[in-house]
Amino acid sequence: MLARKLLLVTGIMLLTVVSLSAQERRGKKSKGKENTEEAAKPAAKPSGLQWSNRDMTYHGKNYDILDSAYYPKFRAKQFHRYLEHQEAFPPKPRNMWEVGLGGGLYNIAGNVPTLFLWQKGGGGINVNVRKSIGYVFSMRLQYIYGVAKNLDLEPTTGYDAPYTKFDYTPLQFSTPTKPADAIYRSTRMESSQFNLDFMFNLGNISFHRAKNKMAFFGYLGMGALAYKTRVNALNDKFESYQFASIVGNASGSPKEIRKSLQNSQDGMDKSWETEAPNTGRKKFMDKKTLDFAPSVGFGAQYRINKNFNVQLEDRFVFPADPYLDGTRYGANLGNTVSQGRSSDAINYFSVGINYNIKSKKCVEPLYWVNPLDHAYNELSYPRHMILPNPVLPDKDEDGVTDQFDKCPKTPAGLPVDAHGCPMDTDGDGVPDYKDKQLITPTECQPVDADGVGNCPCPEGCKEMANTNNNNSKNPCGNINAGALLFPEGSTKINKGMQVQLATLAAQMQANPLCKVVIMGGGTGSKIKEQKSWEHVNAVIEYMSDKNSIGRDRFIFKYGEAGEENVVTFRPANIDEGGDSNVPPPHPDIR
């Protein structure tokens, strides 16, 4: 009956495994087709890391470590400290419980040889629940129901109760007139076993792949064993067996002797009618003997998918009890009765299937998760890592990096535009520092090499020129216009800007009545307007703090047309007014 149950359980598990494997293969085939189609397309070149706007896509194989839904509330503090770079280690994520069902071979290593399942021996079934403590250690609670059968395959004259009660004479009680009876002992042990296992896992921490299909584990178990052993000492008529007639040839092979004893017509019946001796300890669960049963074991798991895995396991149980197989005596040592083993042991070899239970958002049991997955992906695709600001080369120190500088050899100290070229206010092709006619009307262009247009001087132009060169009438004199380019996401004044602003400061000190307009580009959104204000404010504060130019000598303008990282400056027009202190438009936006 037990063998049929075990075969049924094993068949159900095999069908489940085959079905899950087929689904896995179909999924891989469909993914393979998609991958083949993608592989046929030309490979896209990586765009490179955007330092100010990182790719926040999760690239790992286990779970997104920046997703707060994976962490229970009591770990929220550590998670927030990790996000704020106050803690280097992320918290442990919520992970699944594992439940399992299995069955296999249940055997006793004792004084009477054991019978395996294919020898009409016993077997066992088990259920278990397991929870991960960390990436290596876990705990498991397991219940095993087992039936073990033992049968002598050679005759013995060393035995004790209950055979001595049924007219069998053992060697130790024999006399010349009453010789010893050779018998074949047959016992059946039924047990219930509860185990608490402290398990350690190998294989999930890998330096060369994100996930492994195989995992190996070992464990130490603390448990309780409740068992009852019975002996088949009498036939169906409650008479002693005539073993000589059942076996016939006592010197035959063990296989032939076993088949003769198990023959349903001429052999031994399957009653196991008599209770075997035991240690006399406390009884439990249908008068079973209760023993403390430590154990050790090892096994391997194969991962089918996120929820299912199959498992092979071998457990060795060591109760301090010599009566598991129903006797204290071993095989004869010549004409001497062997005292046998001081304690018997149990071996349970099983195959099982496990299912991971998902409740809230959680990861697989941690013994399937590679903790290095996050570290390696953070190195390849930084999302949380603190990275230094890149230092970009600027050989001519004009504030425009060489990568974007269209005029890479600008003379030192000259104001430049956003492209790194000397300012050309009137756009006549002659830079301001060479232009003798700083603002040439469009209709007077093209100009000569000095930037002078081809229009005749209109009435009063000479007087205007004299006025422009007379500081008493035009307070700005020859202060030049310029442009500053801030690095992406920064409000710091770099070395190139410092050179430009030093030149502007010298010019303003030479023209103490002149005001300068500082204009920041950036319009179309609140973020751009706030950045524009911050850039303009940084320039004015630098001029005030570092160059001792009063803040009231500047006109503050932001949100003008143009890029939000560009700030331009120019001398104020005669009678042009404006505030030097302007409140930030959107101070709460970051």
Side-chain angles (χ1 to χ4, degrees), residues 92-142:
K92 185 173 73 173
R94 189 186 295 109
N95 64 95
M96 301 179 187
W97 288 78
E98 179 187 88
V99 295
L101 172 68
L105 309 178
Y106 196 85
N107 300 97
I108 293 177
N111 298 307
V112 182
T114 188
L115 292 176
F116 292 100
L117 189 63
W118 54 87
Q119 298 171 330
K120 299 183 181 180
I125 57 175
N126 66 272
V127 293
N128 51 264
V129 58
R130 181 179 175 187
K131 180 63 175 176
S132 171
I133 301 174
Y135 292 94
V136 175
F137 297 101
S138 58
M139 295 183 67
R140 181 179 69 177
L141 186 64
Q142 185 178 63

Side-chain angles (χ1 to χ4, degrees), residues 68-349:
S68 61
Y70 284 103
Y71 307 106
K73 290 183 179 179
F74 67 89
R75 293 197 176 103
K77 183 177 180 180
Q78 182 181 353
F79 176 68
H80 290 300
R81 287 178 60 83
Y82 173 72
L83 289 183
E84 296 297 328
H85 298 284
Q86 298 172 353
E87 174 75 41
F89 294 91
K92 185 173 73 173
R94 189 186 295 109
N95 64 95
M96 301 179 187
W97 288 78
E98 179 187 88
V99 295
L101 172 68
L105 309 178
Y106 196 85
N107 300 97
I108 293 177
N111 298 307
V112 182
T114 188
L115 292 176
F116 292 100
L117 189 63
W118 54 87
Q119 298 171 330
K120 299 183 181 180
I125 57 175
N126 66 272
V127 293
N128 51 264
V129 58
R130 181 179 175 187
K131 180 63 175 176
S132 171
I133 301 174
Y135 292 94
V136 175
F137 297 101
S138 58
M139 295 183 67
R140 181 179 69 177
L141 186 64
Q142 185 178 63
Y143 168 75
I144 303 172
Y145 172 77
V147 173
K149 295 179 182 179
N150 294 64
L151 178 66
D152 276 329
L153 300 180
E154 59 182 30
T156 182
T157 56
Y159 48 87
D160 53 0
Y163 294 98
T164 55
K165 298 178 182 179
F166 302 130
D167 202 25
Y168 294 103
T169 303
L171 180 62
Q172 62 269 30
F173 296 154
S174 64
T175 63
T177 57
K178 191 174 183 180
D181 295 316
I183 68 171
Y184 294 84
R185 294 167 295 182
S186 175
T187 64
R188 179 185 185 273
M189 190 270 276
E190 179 183 359
S191 69
S192 291
Q193 186 175 344
F194 289 92
N195 301 293
L196 178 62
D197 299 323
F198 299 88
M199 309 181 70
F200 55 92
N201 184 72
L202 301 173
N204 62 319
I205 301 177
S206 174
F207 293 89
H208 304 291
R209 63 179 65 184
K211 279 183 174 294
N212 287 332
K213 283 287 187 181
M214 291 290 296
F216 300 93
F217 62 87
Y219 58 86
L220 299 174
M222 308 291 287
L225 173 70
Y227 77 93
K228 179 190 287 186
T229 303
R230 302 188 72 84
V231 177
N232 188 358
L234 303 174
N235 61 20
D236 55 357
K237 297 178 181 180
F238 292 94
E239 298 173 346
S240 300
Y241 283 110
Q242 300 300 315
F243 290 106
S245 61
I246 293 175
V247 175
N249 182 14
S251 61
S253 68
K255 183 176 181 182
E256 290 174 347
I257 293 175
R258 177 177 57 80
K259 286 186 175 181
S260 298
L261 292 171
Q262 292 178 334
N263 188 295
S264 59
Q265 294 181 353
D266 303 324
M268 303 174 70
D269 62 17
K270 299 178 181 179
S271 61
W272 291 283
E273 75 293 328
T274 309
E275 185 175 350
N278 56 64
T279 58
R281 294 174 182 158
K282 184 177 180 180
K283 304 298 181 181
F284 180 75
M285 293 178 64
D286 190 26
K287 297 182 179 180
K288 290 183 173 67
T289 301
L290 183 62
D291 270 328
F292 173 69
S295 58
V296 297
F298 59 90
Q301 291 175 291
Y302 178 78
R303 182 181 182 275
I304 298 174
N305 55 37
K306 188 175 182 180
N307 294 104
F308 287 95
N309 66 82
V310 292
Q311 173 178 303
L312 286 176
E313 179 182 344
D314 202 10
R315 179 189 289 271
F316 300 89
V317 186
F318 305 101
D321 194 326
Y323 287 106
L324 298 183
D325 62 351
T327 181
R328 276 294 306 268
Y329 293 99
N332 286 3
L333 299 175
N335 293 322
T336 304
V337 176
S338 170
Q339 292 300 313
R341 299 167 60 99
S342 60
S343 62
D344 296 338
I346 298 172
N347 178 247
Y348 178 50
F349 178 81

Side-chain angles (χ1 to χ4, degrees), residues 504-525:
L504 175 62
Q507 294 172 349
M508 292 181 71
Q509 289 168 353
N511 299 273
L513 300 179
C514 177
K515 286 191 174 185
V516 172
V517 180
I518 310 295
M519 296 179 294
T523 185
S525 72

Side-chain angles (χ1 to χ4, degrees), residues 552-568:
D552 58 348
R553 293 191 61 189
F554 296 98
I555 298 176
F556 196 122
K557 290 188 178 184
Y558 70 92
E560 303 289 327
E563 298 181 15
E564 66 268 23
N565 293 322
V566 176
V567 173
T568 59

